[in-house]
Structure formats: C-alpha cells, structure tokens
Amino acid sequence: MKNWLTRKNGGAASKSRTEPTVRERREPRLNLKAFRNYCEDKPKRSSSSGFMPYEPPKGVVGDQSRGMATDEALCSSSADMASLSPGYNQIAMEYYEDGLAFLGYPQLAQMLQRAEFRKPCQTIARECTREWIEFKSEQQSGDTRDNDAASKQIREVTREFTRLNVRHVIQKQIFQSLAFGLGHVWIGMKGTALNSAGQSDPLVIGPNGMSKGSLERLVNIEPIWTTPNKYSSSNVLERDFYKADSWWALGTEIHHSRLLTAIPFPVSQILAPAFNFGGQSLTQQLMPYVHNYLGTRNSVSRIVRNSSYLTLGTDMTGNMQADMPGQPMPYGDVDMQSIQGRAAYMQDVSSGQSTIVFDKERESVAVEAVPLSGLDALQAQAMEAQAAIPGIPLVKMFGLQPQGLNASSEGEIRVFYDEISSYQEEHVRPILQRIFEAVQINLWGKTDPDLSFVFVPLWQMDAKQMAEIEKIKADTDALNIQEGKITADEAREREASDPNSIYKGVNLRGPAPGIPAFSDGPDAETLMQSEE
C-alpha cells in the first residue's frame, strides 16, 4: 500500500526510520454526489473523488504551517475493491447512504437529543459504575500490624479517588465512547504547561517518570475537539501502525500517554481514518431500529386517530347545485366544487356529533371502523427490537415487566450483568489500572504490588438470602467440628477470611474465648430451684 501519511517537506518526502512518517489528520467524509458521478463514469473518474477531507472545528488542528498530506490509501483501496466486485459501487453507495459510515460528531450529538438513542448509552454507563470498585491488599491476611497498614493504604487511595472524582469521570467516558465511538480522559499534571510544548512529551507513570504529589486532575474531553496527529501506515510491524502517537485538542498537541482512550466498538484499520481513529458508536448501530420504531409508532398513531371515518355515497355527475355557477368543471362530468362542499359539510357535522341529514334517494352515509387488533403487538415488537442491540433487559430499558404466569426478568437481568462485567474487564479496567497506578505514585512515589481492585458484582443478595447462606455455612462448620475435621479456631479463621461473612471486619483471629462463666450471682442450679 502506498504510504499516504508522508508529509511533504520542500518537495521531498521524509522517510527516516527513527522518525515515523507522520501527518496532521483531518476526518474524511463521503461526497455522495461525487461518488455517484464516479459510479456512473468510472473510466473518467477516480474513486478518490468520492472522499473529501472533513474540516474539523476551527482551532482543533494546530501549527497549520506544517502543511497537509493527501489521503490516498482509503481511496486507492476503494478502487481496488471496486475492480474486484462489479456491484461494489452500488453497494458502497447504499452503505454510506444508510448511515453505516461515520456520520460526524455534530450529527451524532443531534441524534442523542432523542431518548431512544441516549437511554441505552446512559444505562450501560450507569450500570458499569453503579456498584463501583473495591480495593484489596494481600497484606490484610497477615498479622494485625500488616492489616492496619493495608487498611491505611486503602483509605488513602479511596480518598484520592474521591478527590479526583474518578467514578464520575469514568461514567462520563463510557457514555461518550458509546455515544460517539470514542472517549478521552486527560491526565492533568501539576507544573506542566497547557500547550503543545508541555503536553506533547510522554507521561511515564512510574518511579522514574511521574513524581510524588504531581497528579492534579482528570478531565473528560469530547472527541469532537480532538483529531489524531501522528501515526504510521507504512509498516505493520511498527508500534504506532494505525495507532495515534499524539492527538490535537483545540490546537494543543497531546501525547497519547496523557490521554486514556476508550473505543468500545473498534472498526477495521482501513476505516479507522474515516472514523477519526475511533470506532462505530452505539448510536449509529441503533439507527435502523430507532427509525423503524418511530415510523411504526407514527403509523399506529395515525391509524388510531382515523380508526373510524364517515363514507358518503352521493351523485357526482353534477345534479347538485355548484357553489359558483358558470364555472367549468375541471374533472369532466364530476362537479368537484359541489362534491367538496358536500363532503366538508358532512365532515363538520360528523365531527360535532350532530344529526346527519342526507338525501335518501341519491345519497347513502355509513361509518366505517378500522380494526385495531394487532397494532399493539406491532408497536411493541418495534420498541423491543431497540433493546436487542445493546442487550439491555426490557425492564431496565423501558420499565416493562414480563407478562404471563410465573414470568420473571431475573434470568435476563443476570445475563445483562454478565455482559456488564465483561465490558468492565475489557474496556474499563485498563483505564482504571492506569489511574490506580498514577494515584499510588502521587501518594507514595511508588506502586504497591500487594494493592489491587475488583469490580463489585452488580447482582447483590438481600439480607434474608445472606442470612440463609450464613446459616448453612455455620451448620457446615458445626458438623465438621463434630466430626473432628476442623477445630473451632479454624472455623473462626474461615469466618475472618470470608469476604461475604456477616462478621466481616470483626477480629476473629486467635483462640475462641469459649462460653463465658458467671462471675457472681446465683448459679444455674439455684435459678432452676427458684423457678420451681
């Protein structure tokens, strides 16, 4: 493939191995008119005429003096595919017209004004951060001093996460990445200039890079204000092959290590430049289903409004007196003025529910009713299809309870929680891990390998279920102690290490205290005699 990222410099292309070929990115969009011209007159046009460089908002790309390179790879590959498939041109044109190509951030932002597009993105973002995370330390299973030290570390990390508002930042990033296909979180460091000179340097999160007390803030950046600046496209073995080495953000060049980027639905590398090096948004994936639902809803509404209508059988050959005598009838023998006047009269009378008077010799009047059976099922199916793409249960998406005997949403909710857990591990954990390491460096100047975090499961048991499980565990311990398999002290150790125990947080280490004896007062025998 021809290297289409070579930056022209004085008529010569830079091909240094130490400096990868780079260019300033501009997002391409399809010019449908030019593409149709290409399809109709292929010998005279190149497919590259169908792709016009998209101009990002003014000020996004900085240092305009560097110049722009010509985008050729995506265009030439389109021509290659067109030569392989005779029907490719029509397929590609329909592909773009159907909205499968990148629509642009302004269009996606307008689509999010509809609840049908916004609700799924919000639901997934909220569920991913609803129960949040729990910090753990391997030292908590040691002696009391180690346990106290680990608890102190966890409290410090928790306070720092609260100061940085990490939970809200991650929730907003998940929403933006689903809504726009791309989500950025910028790591702000103290003392670093907010310009290209300060932000274009790599950020090393480690003892030899980031210093203690230097982490200032975390900021969400909408993708509309960003565009890739440097990446390689000539060698698939390069580390930055089709990976942005730096980004423009309103004229400021930011190294990729200072941006935590999430792409839930990545596209093929050949399409990455057209999608601003992001992915396909959930908003675009929902387009056909939302539009189908809106069309069905509007059609059902029109049918319901016109569920009954008045039919008038009358003489249309001009026997009735016209409103304007002497005027020619434009429809031959049909007196349209007279017919329209008569129909308007009938409509006014019927809408007011007044007595309808008609000529019994020349006219007939009837009220026709449109059957409404099945319309509710059609609208419900169109609405429920919107929940299939994000995989959200109907009770969470629309608040619809399942119908029928013994119907329950428990199974669907469990499956949905499994999907959320997978999403957290794949897309949220890498971002949180970087923040977790940066927080430790900021607090202590080093990272502790014994510290970690886990996502709290979304499926939570109620108090009754937890008590029942705890009773089963206690009965099992009692049976094992009776059989001599374990001792009471070992049962206490099991309780102390069980994260789901109701005695969590209670110091159960050491020998059991046993049943306390009465130190003073009457003994049991005296009490029994007194009761007799």
Side-chain angles (χ1 to χ4, degrees):
M1 180 185 295
K2 184 176 180 180
N3 180 12
W4 57 298
L5 304 180
T6 302
R7 177 161 50 90
K8 302 293 181 62
N9 185 10
S14 174
K15 299 182 179 180
S16 173
R17 294 287 298 173
T18 58
E19 296 183 6
T21 53
V22 299
R23 62 174 294 270
E24 288 77 21
R25 278 292 307 140
R26 286 210 232 174
E27 175 186 318
R29 64 178 177 182
L30 182 71
N31 186 320
L32 288 177
K33 182 178 180 181
F35 196 88
R36 290 192 185 96
N37 292 338
Y38 160 71
C39 296
E40 297 171 357
D41 194 9
K42 181 179 177 181
K44 297 181 180 180
R45 284 188 180 270
S46 168
S47 61
S48 61
S49 62
F51 292 87
M52 301 293 291
Y54 173 75
E55 292 288 345
K58 185 178 181 180
V60 171
V61 178
D63 196 3
Q64 297 290 347
S65 61
R66 294 187 178 183
M68 283 288 297
T70 57
D71 293 349
E72 297 177 357
L74 191 58
C75 304
S76 60
S77 63
S78 300
D80 294 338
M81 288 187 287
S83 63
L84 295 176
S85 175
Y88 167 77
N89 297 332
Q90 181 64 28
I91 294 173
M93 186 167 60
E94 294 175 356
Y95 168 82
Y96 285 99
E97 288 178 335
D98 289 342
L100 295 178
F102 183 60
L103 300 180
Y105 299 121
Q107 177 67 24
L108 294 176
Q110 293 178 21
M111 292 166 61
L112 288 174
Q113 296 297 100
R114 282 194 174 274
E116 289 83 1
F117 291 112
R118 190 179 189 89
K119 181 68 180 293
C121 302
Q122 284 183 331
T123 300
I124 296 176
R126 290 169 178 171
E127 290 296 321
C128 282
T129 57
R130 176 163 59 86
E131 294 294 339
W132 198 218
I133 60 177
E134 181 180 359
F135 299 106
K136 292 188 175 183
S137 174
E138 297 294 333
Q139 297 179 359
Q140 287 182 312
S141 59
D143 57 26
T144 305
R145 289 180 298 177
D146 291 340
N147 187 54
D148 293 342
S151 299
K152 180 181 178 182
Q153 286 182 317
I154 290 176
R155 287 194 300 269
E156 292 177 354
V157 172
T158 302
R159 284 196 297 266
E160 190 67 7
F161 264 61
T162 303
R163 180 186 72 84
L164 295 171
N165 202 15
V166 177
R167 189 175 187 175
H168 176 73
V169 168
I170 293 298
Q171 182 184 107
K172 191 172 182 180
Q173 184 191 37
I174 296 173
F175 172 78
Q176 291 179 349
S177 62
L178 292 172
F180 301 109
L182 181 65
H184 293 298
V185 173
W186 173 70
I187 304 177
M189 307 299 294
K190 295 179 182 178
T192 304
L194 302 180
N195 52 32
S196 298
Q199 299 296 320
S200 60
D201 292 333
L203 173 63
V204 179
I205 299 179
N208 298 325
M210 178 180 167
S211 60
K212 181 180 178 180
S214 59
L215 181 58
E216 183 178 14
R217 57 195 173 115
L218 301 174
V219 179
N220 294 100
I221 302 179
E222 283 200 22
I224 191 173
W225 311 123
T226 64
T227 191
N229 177 39
K230 300 177 183 178
Y231 61 91
S232 171
S233 70
S234 58
N235 189 346
V236 296
L237 303 180
E238 294 284 352
R239 293 181 180 272
D240 60 344
F241 181 75
Y242 273 90
K243 293 181 180 179
D245 184 68
S246 64
W247 293 75
W248 286 114
L250 282 181
T252 301
E253 184 181 0
I254 304 177
H255 195 266
H256 73 89
S257 59
R258 298 179 182 270
L259 287 177
L260 305 176
T261 304
I263 305 175
F265 306 106
V267 297
S268 172
Q269 289 179 335
I270 195 63
L271 294 177
F275 281 78
N276 198 30
F277 270 64
Q280 190 173 23
S281 64
L282 179 60
T283 310
Q284 287 191 218
Q285 297 179 46
L286 288 169
M287 277 183 60
Y289 302 90
V290 172
H291 291 166
N292 180 57
Y293 164 69
L294 295 177
T296 303
R297 185 192 66 181
N298 294 336
S299 298
V300 170
S301 179
R302 286 194 297 269
I303 293 175
V304 171
R305 286 198 303 267
N306 301 310
S307 58
S308 63
Y309 53 92
L310 182 70
T311 60
L312 171 65
T314 186
D315 186 358
M316 301 179 64
T317 58
N319 292 332
M320 291 182 296
Q321 189 69 25
D323 292 339
M324 299 178 65
Q327 295 291 336
M329 293 182 291
Y331 297 95
D333 293 337
V334 179
D335 189 349
M336 288 301 299
Q337 293 178 350
S338 178
I339 296 300
Q340 290 174 355
R342 186 64 173 162
Y345 164 74
M346 285 293 184
Q347 184 177 3
D348 291 340
V349 172
S350 62
S351 61
Q353 298 182 353
S354 302
T355 302
I356 300 177
V357 181
F358 61 96
D359 189 340
K360 67 178 183 179
E361 301 294 336
R362 293 185 176 88
E363 294 180 329
S364 63
V365 179
V367 177
E368 302 290 342
V370 177
L372 301 179
S373 61
L375 292 181
D376 56 339
L378 290 175
Q379 181 166 329
Q381 289 177 356
M383 181 175 64
E384 293 169 4
Q386 299 175 87
I389 297 303
I392 302 176
L394 296 179
V395 67
K396 281 190 173 290
M397 185 80 166
F398 306 112
L400 298 178
Q401 293 289 344
Q403 304 296 323
L405 185 63
N406 297 327
S408 173
S409 299
E410 181 176 338
E412 290 80 359
I413 292 177
R414 283 184 177 269
V415 172
F416 174 62
Y417 286 165
D418 290 342
E419 290 290 334
I420 292 295
S421 178
S422 300
Y423 187 96
Q424 289 173 331
E425 293 294 333
E426 183 177 0
H427 301 292
V428 183
R429 177 173 287 276
I431 306 297
L432 276 178
Q433 185 63 35
R434 292 270 294 172
I435 297 176
F436 185 52
E437 295 172 357
V439 165
Q440 295 181 66
I441 296 294
N442 184 61
L443 290 174
W444 313 308
K446 62 179 182 179
T447 58
D448 190 342
D450 292 331
L451 286 178
S452 62
F453 68 90
V454 294
F455 292 98
V456 179
L458 293 178
W459 186 266
Q460 299 290 335
M461 294 180 292
D462 56 27
K464 180 181 178 181
Q465 292 173 325
M466 294 179 65
E468 291 174 349
I469 294 176
E470 197 65 27
K471 185 178 184 304
I472 295 174
K473 292 179 181 179
D475 293 342
T476 304
D477 287 342
L479 181 61
N480 289 333
I481 293 173
Q482 182 180 355
E483 295 292 332
K485 295 180 179 179
I486 62 174
T487 65
D489 294 337
E490 290 172 335
R492 285 166 54 82
E493 290 291 337
R494 198 273 306 165
E495 287 279 4
S497 59
D498 186 358
N500 298 319
S501 172
I502 60 176
Y503 300 104
K504 181 180 179 181
V506 179
N507 186 8
L508 297 178
R509 293 180 174 83
I515 301 175
F518 292 105
S519 57
D520 53 9
D523 55 13
E525 184 177 356
T526 305
L527 290 174
M528 292 177 63
Q529 292 176 356
S530 63
E531 290 178 357
E532 294 177 356

